Amino acid sequence: MRVSYSLGAFYFVFFVYAGLWVAYLPPYLAARGLGAAQIAWVLALPQLARIVAPAAWGALVDRTGAQRAIVVFACAANAACLALLPFMRDFAAIAWLIGLSSLVSTAALPLVEAITLGALAGQAGRYGPIRLWGSLGFMAAVFAGGAWLDFHTVHTLPLAMLVFALGALAVAAALPAQPLHLAATSARLPMNAAAALLLASGFCMAVAHGTLYAFFTLHLQREGYGGSLIGFLWMLGVLGEIVVFLFLPALFRRFALSTILVASAACGVARFLAIGWAADWLAVLLIAQLLHAATFGSFHAAAVAAVHRVFPPHAQARGQSLFSSVGYGAGGALGALAAGWAWEAAGPGCAFTISSVAAVAGLLFAYPLKRKAL
């Protein structure tokens, strides 16, 4: 199997599981009796694990080259968590299970990102056509999941996620081993101003998406939207993301990575305000969800390419893992926790306003990268 095919297959099955987790785990936890703050804590635990775990696993890979083995181990931990989830009896048990398994499972995606960028041999624009298979998987999951929940109980969710987590495990075992530039045991991860600004911008944009990933489904349910329409709105966001990935080679040829990052963050400012304060207008929601193409799609692709550029070959796994740790780890955790606090204190409008402010900060950190020739 060609490398691009195996990577595309991994992204697809992995993001089917991820789509079900992001869109429908909050309603599942609510049905299990958890409150908003408890749901926020459970959703923040994988992000908290990403603060330290991916960086540790990335350092191990850069020193041993055991990239594929660690990805397989991470996918196995993920599947074990989902198999046990229905048997956890209360908030504490659920939190311990997800927290402990996340210390391993969060290693998978950043290491696969490193494999992908390494396989492309410097042609970062080709990342989009491979990564879009993840978006297709996510889109299929959120749309089919919404339609399913119109007629079935949300308690069937863990089984569905387990099926695709096992699929990701099977594909991970078939990933080709990629040659790595092994780092010396004493080699430190090189940092410079461009890397620091990139990490700060990624952190802020992850914070900005915290309310969306934690409470978008619950927000729309409170507004009276049905499961199928909620699934369609999630799918619409991912559809815009797919378009970005398809045209990524042309986008990268025409615009600097820093320009893409700034424009994507600016779209986030408008998007989260619209969702928070105008969700009763379907037309506004449709536009806001299409902006996911920028706030996640183009921002993520440009950031991953920028990480590949600012870190040397012997530190690629650690660089991608550090970005995951700082951005999707620390930023995602803070975003989820802030969303839970704001939701309980002042409602969804306040929570999404915090997201918009975080996107402003992401823009301000990305803008100086223009002077760094990035």
Side-chain angles (χ1 to χ4, degrees):
M1 181 184 290
R2 289 178 54 186
V3 173
S4 59
Y5 293 161
S6 59
L7 289 169
F10 178 85
Y11 280 122
F12 181 85
V13 292
F14 183 89
F15 278 97
V16 169
Y17 144 77
L20 294 172
W21 178 285
V22 169
Y24 303 114
L25 186 64
Y28 170 78
L29 295 175
R32 293 285 303 271
L34 276 64
Q38 292 175 323
I39 291 172
W41 267 109
V42 170
L43 297 178
L45 287 171
Q47 319 306 334
L48 289 170
R50 285 192 178 102
I51 297 174
V52 293
W57 291 114
L60 181 63
V61 166
D62 281 337
R63 286 164 172 76
T64 66
Q67 202 161 20
R68 180 174 59 187
I70 293 175
V71 172
V72 169
F73 184 41
C75 291
N78 200 28
C81 171
L82 294 171
L84 294 172
L85 182 58
F87 303 101
M88 300 299 102
R89 302 183 66 176
D90 54 21
F91 164 68
I94 292 171
W96 274 108
L97 174 67
I98 291 177
L100 290 175
S101 64
S102 295
L103 291 173
V104 180
S105 64
T106 51
L109 189 57
L111 293 181
V112 173
E113 298 278 43
I115 292 174
T116 303
L117 269 295
L120 296 181
Q123 297 178 311
R126 292 173 55 207
Y127 170 82
I130 295 175
R131 176 58 177 77
L132 72 83
W133 286 100
S135 300
L136 288 170
F138 193 101
M139 183 174 68
V142 295
F143 183 70
W148 175 266
L149 293 180
D150 277 339
F151 303 99
H152 300 85
T153 174
V154 74
H155 293 284
T156 58
L157 179 70
L159 178 60
M161 290 194 293
L162 175 60
V163 169
F164 290 99
L166 290 172
L169 173 61
V171 176
L175 287 176
Q178 293 294 306
L180 297 173
H181 301 268
L182 298 183
T185 302
S186 60
R188 295 183 177 180
L189 182 64
M191 289 290 294
N192 53 42
L197 288 167
L198 180 61
L199 291 172
S201 183
F203 170 84
C204 293
M205 287 301 288
V207 172
H209 285 78
T211 309
L212 181 83
Y213 293 147
F215 294 115
F216 184 64
T217 298
L218 291 173
H219 179 39
L220 297 188
Q221 287 178 338
R222 283 179 47 161
E223 293 290 336
Y225 293 99
S228 295
L229 183 52
I230 292 172
F232 172 77
L233 287 167
W234 276 106
M235 184 189 73
L236 188 63
V238 184
L239 185 62
E241 175 187 313
I242 290 172
V243 172
V244 166
F245 288 143
L246 281 173
F247 290 95
L248 199 60
L251 190 67
F252 278 8
R253 286 194 299 268
R254 184 168 182 180
F255 299 104
L257 296 178
S258 57
T259 299
I260 297 172
L261 293 171
V262 168
S264 301
C267 290
V269 178
R271 181 190 184 196
F272 298 123
L273 285 175
I275 294 174
W277 296 101
D280 53 333
W281 293 76
L282 180 58
V284 171
L285 274 181
L286 294 172
I287 296 171
Q289 281 303 91
L290 285 173
L291 287 178
H292 190 72
T295 68
F296 175 77
S298 58
F299 188 92
H300 173 76
V304 167
V307 168
H308 193 72
R309 187 178 298 179
V310 300
F311 290 102
H314 70 266
Q316 286 299 306
R318 283 179 292 165
Q320 295 293 346
S321 296
L322 179 62
F323 183 78
S324 177
S325 297
V326 172
Y328 302 121
L334 179 59
L337 293 174
W341 169 80
W343 183 280
E344 288 200 335
C350 177
F352 278 101
T353 298
I354 290 175
S355 292
S356 184
V357 171
V360 171
L363 187 158
L364 294 177
F365 280 117
Y367 188 79
L369 291 172
K370 289 179 173 292
R371 297 195 295 271
K372 304 295 182 182
L374 190 63

